[in-house]
Amino acid sequence: FFAPGAIQAAWGSDKDPYDIPAYGNVTLLHMTDSHAQLLPVWWREPDTNIGVGPVLNQTPHLCGKWMLDYYGLAHSGRDEYTYSCLDYDTLAKHYGKIGGYAHIATLVKRYREQLGNRALLLDGGDTWQGSATALWTKGEDMVGAQNLLGVDDFVGHWEFTYGQKQVEYLVKNKLKAKFLAQNVFSNTWQEPVFQPYQIHEISGRRIAVIGQAFPFTPIANPGYMIPDWGFGIHTEHMQKMVDECRNDKKADLVVVLSHNGADVDKKMASLVRGIDIILGGHTHDIMGPKPFQVNQTLVINTSTNGKILARFDLDVGKGKLNGWRFHYLPVFSNLIPADAAMSEYIDGVRKPYLEKLQQPLATTGSLLYRRDNFNGTFDQLLCDALRAEMNCEASFSPGFRWGYCKLPGETITMEDVMGQTAITYPQVTVNNYTGEQIKNIMEQVADNIFNPNPYYQQGGDMIRVGNIQYDFNPDEKIYHRISNLRIGGKLASASKKYKVAGWAAMQPVEGKPVWEVFGSWLQSQKHVEVKKVELPVLNADMRSNHGIAFPKTYKL
Amino acid sequence: GNVAGWPAKAFDAKVLDEAMGDSIGKTDVPVSSKVSLKAPTIAENGGAVPVTIEVDSPMTADDYISTVWLFVDHNPTPLASQFTFTPACGKAYIQERIKMAKTDNVRVVAKTNKGELMASAPREVKVTIGGCGG
Amino acid sequence: MAEALGNPMIRMPGSAKKGEIVEIRSLIMNPMTTGLQKDKKTGKLIPAHFIQTVTITFNDKPLLDIDWSTAVSSNPYLAFKMRAEESGTLKMVWKDNTNGSWSADSKITVS
Ligand SMILES: [Mn+2]
Ligand SMILES: [Mn+2]
């Protein structure tokens, strides 16, 4: 399968880590939130992923050593690289990039050969967005990759940002997988828009897969793109679907393919009876190598960017799950040969755009990453760029959780800029906000992340701010989390107006696409270093929060 | 002009207590698990928030839900709708869409044919600027 | 308001078993303006224009009476239920505060 030397170096033994003995009669393969990364990328786990309320210090709200300790993993080597942000630069050089559809394809093919038609491949969504080619082909390049990979069922979130018509077009005419959503209803007649579930006959058992689209799509992303589609969690309707699958369709196993996010999945598992497994995404969290159990339901979340392929081997009996084995497989692209057919497909997708993708803009002396609750080095650069190019004293940038990393010494290309910005509402705008408006915007976003009731959370991270400083208490209520708000180091005045640059507005606006603004700033800089990431000062109670790997960065 | 029979006084009331007083005749009604009110936790569009009301009742000639009121606590006029059921409905059930300007509570009060009053738990619907995402 | 007014629509099953509870859903075009909002161009208040009552009968017998405020969304959607006891006609009448009146009906066969 691959070179023993390479395995030896990565695993400390010659045993093939992807060699899994067959067990049971049904296998579920799960991947999610690839964010259209056809090629392997660098992906650093967050150092800050704070859990509040019922999920305080629970997986996946564990960072750095806390995550390793929770699962009893080694503080070194491949486990440290897979499950934590620790020693990232060093480990990245040793273990290489993660993901890549050609490498995932090799694994999937291998397991299909091993298991025959006992295996289902389920894709948790956020597959059509996140890269230049996905944006320029309106998601179609990814549909091609999904078809080649043999995805059986699929759900959505960022997919919807291509608009109602394009989603309908791709789902009806191009996508071979079933697009499932039990929680999307038309806004005129309140009728289901998509097929809610699919029943698969495997090994003489009936496997129900119920789709759950991201419940807050028209709030987290522009609602005007999907005017006739209403979302929501729809817990009661989920119960109805589970009962219908079990009672009317005689399902022996009920699986929810979910884009709720980890905290909402856990709460839903506690409210709905009869779900065996929730395969979750959206939050991009590492939530393994063991599933989390809520009553009788096993809950997982399968990372992002193609980093993990999850494999559930199940012994499904008549009407019940008799046993299971779970494997959380990091896709180390150096160790898995690329699948030829998928490589050829990817080359074909990229070919017309290659020159533009590879256009060099600047070199970086720092590790560039995005994911963290409050700020990342890539976002720091983006906020700096927005302020400089738009001549503003402050800037806002959305707390997206996608966007891969660059290592120190690498060249930032146009493709990398698109990897941070490729959305269908990219316009940069300049707004004159009062200090009070700035605080209100930040407070509202904060409540969407830190509300102790998961059903009021949307996922995502805190809005990134350029030249705005603040103190923050995640445990407070809305409008009380932020204090000591300063702009340019000076206490913000509630009534004074400040010029703030931003992008990704929820309403249609005019403006240059953000990649142009960011790209031209990078070109003018030639070389960038992030000397300091601006972070809020956190409330002292956060000292005991295991979602923070480096408390000192927050003055804790 | 107003349609004949439309309860103008209750609908014109500007605060919740007044609206409840003018419609139900009471401002404190015990919460009952028989009154179910479904609404999204976060509104996708404050101009059209879907709500579903269901009251547990046999809906027979001598035991049925006669009236249901729907309120939004801080709307300019809190009484949003009044429903007068008959046993022939079979179920005291309504689904409609309402307007909410800001994060607020939605609540329902139901009255049986015998005059017994019961309320739903207030349900908070958040109206937010949104943005961002994973 | 250039939008269409009226055009009431009813969706209900055409047949049911005796005693079955059926769901009836309806839509009608109406601006449902509150009277509190200003026209962005003229700065003048847009007058309230909204449906106040919906009267629903089955075979001319009262089924459900509804009173609405301006809090009901534009182009109101309404779903409710009925116990199917006999074949017949469901009729809905919507009336607004500007003397507008619309009706629609739908038949059901009960066996
Ligand atoms: Mn998502
Ligand atoms: Mn995602």
Side-chain angles (χ1 to χ4, degrees):
Chain A
F1 186 60
F2 42 50
I7 309 171
Q8 177 69 38
W11 261 269
S13 105
D14 278 340
K15 193 184 167 296
D16 176 354
Y18 299 107
D19 180 26
I20 295 164
Y23 168 84
N25 52 0
V26 175
T27 289
L28 307 176
L29 298 171
H30 180 238
M31 60 181 292
T32 193
D33 294 82
S34 78
H35 282 280
Q37 297 310 317
L38 288 170
L39 297 177
V41 295
W42 300 116
W43 183 257
R44 169 192 178 271
E45 288 307 310
D47 66 46
T48 309
N49 183 9
I50 292 170
V52 294
V55 298
L56 170 73
N57 293 348
Q58 261 188 21
T59 185
H61 294 281
L62 304 167
C63 289
K65 76 182 180 95
W66 301 113
M67 181 62 98
L68 297 172
D69 288 348
Y70 177 85
Y71 287 110
L73 300 164
H75 284 230
S76 63
R78 67 174 176 112
D79 283 348
E80 189 179 32
Y81 184 53
T82 305
Y83 294 96
S84 84
C85 57
L86 305 174
D87 293 325
Y88 185 76
D89 303 22
T90 318
L91 293 167
K93 279 178 197 123
H94 185 75
Y95 291 100
K97 292 183 176 179
I98 55 88
Y101 270 67
H103 306 277
I104 298 168
T106 299
L107 271 186
V108 169
K109 267 191 186 166
R110 175 177 173 176
Y111 294 145
R112 284 225 163 96
E113 272 162 28
Q114 179 195 12
L115 302 162
N117 51 16
R118 276 159 53 181
L120 283 179
L121 176 60
L122 307 173
D123 181 337
D126 279 359
T127 304
W128 296 356
Q129 177 278 339
S131 74
T133 54
L135 184 72
W136 295 333
T137 63
K138 298 193 174 76
E140 203 165 330
D141 68 331
M142 296 311 298
V143 174
Q146 288 176 300
N147 290 347
L148 209 49
L149 205 54
V151 173
D152 289 290
D153 299 330
F154 181 41
V155 297
H157 166 201
W158 276 90
E159 285 70 17
F160 298 112
T161 62
Y162 291 108
Q164 219 163 287
K165 276 206 181 113
Q166 178 68 0
V167 172
E168 276 172 339
Y169 166 73
L170 291 176
V171 165
K172 280 185 190 145
N173 303 300
K174 299 284 172 180
L175 182 73
K176 286 184 188 159
K178 282 278 183 312
F179 192 90
L180 306 175
Q182 72 88 24
N183 61 328
V184 182
F185 297 88
S186 69
N187 284 335
T188 43
W189 286 100
Q190 303 289 143
E191 282 169 348
V193 175
F194 300 100
Q195 181 183 331
Y197 55 80
Q198 174 73 16
I199 308 281
H200 301 270
E201 296 255 8
I202 300 172
S203 305
R205 300 288 183 237
R206 294 171 66 79
I207 313 302
V209 178
I210 305 176
Q212 175 83 348
F214 177 49
F216 303 117
T217 302
I219 305 157
N221 306 92
Y224 66 82
M225 292 178 170
I226 35 170
D228 195 41
W229 293 349
F231 292 66
I233 302 170
H234 293 284
T235 312
E236 294 89 353
H237 193 258
M238 177 62 83
Q239 182 68 65
K240 203 173 144 194
M241 293 298 99
V242 172
D243 294 344
E244 193 174 304
C245 287
R246 287 214 179 266
N247 303 333
D248 305 347
K249 309 287 174 186
K250 305 290 173 218
D252 298 301
L253 184 86
V254 175
V255 177
V256 174
L257 181 60
S258 163
H259 203 93
N260 273 336
D263 297 348
V264 178
D265 278 338
K266 285 183 185 175
K267 177 154 179 169
M268 197 176 77
S270 74
L271 296 172
V272 178
R273 293 170 316 278
I275 302 172
D276 294 296
I277 295 169
I278 298 179
L279 303 173
H282 180 62
T283 35
H284 298 187
D285 291 322
I286 282 280
M287 203 175 167
K290 292 189 262 300
F292 186 87
Q293 196 156 346
V294 181
N295 301 329
Q296 298 306 306
T297 306
L298 301 167
V299 182
I300 64 158
N301 200 293
T302 308
S303 185
T304 181
N305 278 266
K307 177 173 171 176
I308 304 278
L309 181 70
R311 172 171 160 168
F312 252 118
D313 292 329
L314 308 168
D315 177 2
V316 182
K318 204 71 206 139
K320 79 186 248 278
L321 180 60
N322 290 326
W324 53 270
R325 304 272 187 276
F326 182 62
H327 308 275
Y328 208 54
L329 303 159
V331 180
F332 289 168
S333 60
N334 287 354
L335 295 183
I336 306 167
D339 174 74
M342 187 64 87
S343 291
E344 197 186 314
Y345 173 76
I346 295 169
D347 288 346
V349 162
R350 295 170 58 79
K351 206 174 165 199
Y353 309 107
L354 213 52
E355 199 181 328
K356 189 161 185 202
L357 293 171
Q358 291 175 345
Q359 184 194 352
L361 299 171
T363 53
T364 176
S366 318
L367 169 67
L368 299 181
Y369 60 91
R370 171 174 272 167
R371 244 211 95 173
D372 262 354
N373 274 157
F374 298 99
N375 201 0
T377 47
F378 231 138
D379 284 324
Q380 183 74 57
L381 283 186
L382 183 45
C383 284
D384 292 349
L386 286 170
R387 283 204 299 130
E389 294 285 309
M390 306 310 288
N391 195 20
C392 286
E393 51 198 318
S395 54
F396 278 150
S397 183
F400 294 140
R401 290 187 159 210
W402 45 270
Y404 59 87
C405 305
K406 296 298 285 183
L407 296 190
E410 288 191 317
T411 298
I412 305 167
T413 62
M414 196 60 205
E415 178 162 29
D416 300 327
V417 164
M418 296 303 287
Q420 303 291 318
T421 58
I423 64 172
T424 55
Y425 48 106
Q427 294 80 6
V428 174
T429 55
V430 173
N431 291 291
N432 288 304
Y433 289 132
T434 63
E436 190 180 6
Q437 283 174 311
I438 291 172
K439 183 170 185 287
N440 282 347
I441 291 169
M442 293 172 65
E443 286 280 3
Q444 291 204 35
V445 175
D447 197 59
N448 293 337
I449 300 154
F450 298 107
N451 193 302
N453 182 345
Y455 273 21
Y456 288 91
Q457 294 173 8
Q458 290 175 27
D461 280 316
M462 184 61 186
I463 189 166
R464 275 53 176 143
V465 291
N467 204 28
I468 297 174
Q469 299 82 25
Y470 60 104
D471 297 356
F472 194 77
N473 184 357
D475 286 332
E476 270 289 357
K477 285 199 168 64
I478 189 166
Y479 303 122
H480 295 94
R481 288 189 178 92
I482 292 166
S483 56
N484 195 20
L485 184 77
R486 288 147 289 151
I487 294 163
K490 282 193 210 117
L491 213 56
S493 145
S495 56
K496 192 188 154 190
K497 285 197 168 177
Y498 300 90
K499 221 173 131 191
V500 185
W503 62 290
M506 289 298 105
Q507 297 78 33
V509 290
E510 301 282 324
K512 267 192 201 171
V514 63
W515 47 82
E516 276 181 24
V517 175
F518 195 18
S520 62
W521 181 80
L522 285 168
Q523 268 183 316
S524 72
Q525 300 291 302
K526 294 186 184 71
H527 181 76
V528 291
E529 302 248 1
V530 183
K531 298 253 160 47
K532 187 174 175 274
V533 187
E534 282 199 287
L535 293 171
V537 175
L538 291 184
N539 187 271
D541 293 345
M542 287 294 128
R543 247 175 232 146
S544 55
N545 196 297
H546 295 178
I548 302 173
F550 309 124
K552 276 186 190 151
T553 56
Y554 297 101
K555 305 205 169 127
L556 292 170
Chain B
N2 288 339
V3 176
W6 187 73
K9 190 160 183 271
F11 276 125
D12 290 341
K14 305 276 187 289
V15 292
L16 181 65
D17 274 3
E18 206 184 307
M20 287 181 80
D22 289 341
S23 53
I24 306 161
K26 258 184 109 165
T27 54
D28 56 327
V29 178
V31 170
S32 162
S33 60
K34 286 184 176 178
V35 189
S36 146
L37 168 61
K38 286 179 209 163
T41 52
I42 309 179
E44 291 169 11
N45 168 4
V49 179
V51 292
T52 307
I53 301 163
E54 198 166 347
V55 190
D56 188 13
S57 161
M59 295 300 276
T60 55
D62 44 355
D63 187 2
Y64 65 97
I65 298 298
S66 62
T67 318
V68 165
W69 297 269
L70 171 67
F71 300 93
V72 182
D73 286 10
H74 298 96
N75 263 5
T77 54
L79 178 59
S81 301
Q82 174 178 309
F83 310 95
T84 308
F85 292 93
T86 62
C89 291
K91 271 228 156 83
Y93 168 94
I94 290 289
Q95 189 176 42
E96 65 177 18
R97 295 188 283 252
I98 59 170
K99 299 172 198 163
M100 296 181 71
K102 56 179 183 181
T103 300
D104 204 349
N105 284 328
V106 186
R107 60 179 83 222
V108 157
V109 173
K111 188 168 89 173
T112 66
N113 60 316
K114 291 164 193 147
E116 190 198 343
L117 288 168
M118 49 193 165
S120 71
R123 175 82 193 239
E124 190 186 55
V125 177
K126 189 166 143 181
V127 179
T128 172
I129 55 162
C132 302
Chain C
M1 196 59 67
E3 262 180 71
L5 262 186
N7 190 25
M9 287 176 275
I10 299 178
R11 288 190 181 176
M12 70 184 271
S15 63
K17 290 208 172 68
K18 187 171 160 63
E20 188 184 335
I21 291 170
V22 295
E23 184 173 4
I24 298 127
R25 300 175 306 133
S26 65
L27 263 181
I28 188 163
M29 301 296 119
N30 193 282
M32 301 299 283
T33 46
T34 59
L36 302 172
Q37 266 174 328
K38 281 180 183 160
D39 187 313
K40 277 186 188 134
K41 282 178 199 144
T42 64
K44 281 185 185 156
L45 278 180
I46 303 165
H49 182 185
F50 65 109
I51 290 172
Q52 292 186 313
T53 63
V54 191
T55 309
I56 304 153
T57 55
F58 188 76
N59 286 347
D60 299 322
K61 293 190 286 279
L63 182 71
L64 177 61
D65 277 332
I66 294 175
D67 299 292
W68 272 341
S69 79
T70 55
V72 172
S73 307
S74 63
N75 305 333
Y77 166 85
L78 174 75
F80 55 94
K81 291 188 178 175
M82 177 182 79
R83 192 185 280 122
E85 292 290 358
E86 55 176 1
S87 299
T89 305
L90 179 112
K91 188 178 181 198
M92 294 181 70
V93 178
W94 292 261
K95 287 183 180 168
D96 77 8
N97 66 328
T98 64
N99 284 324
S101 177
W102 301 269
S103 73
D105 50 46
S106 186
K107 286 185 166 53
I108 186 168
T109 307
V110 174
S111 56

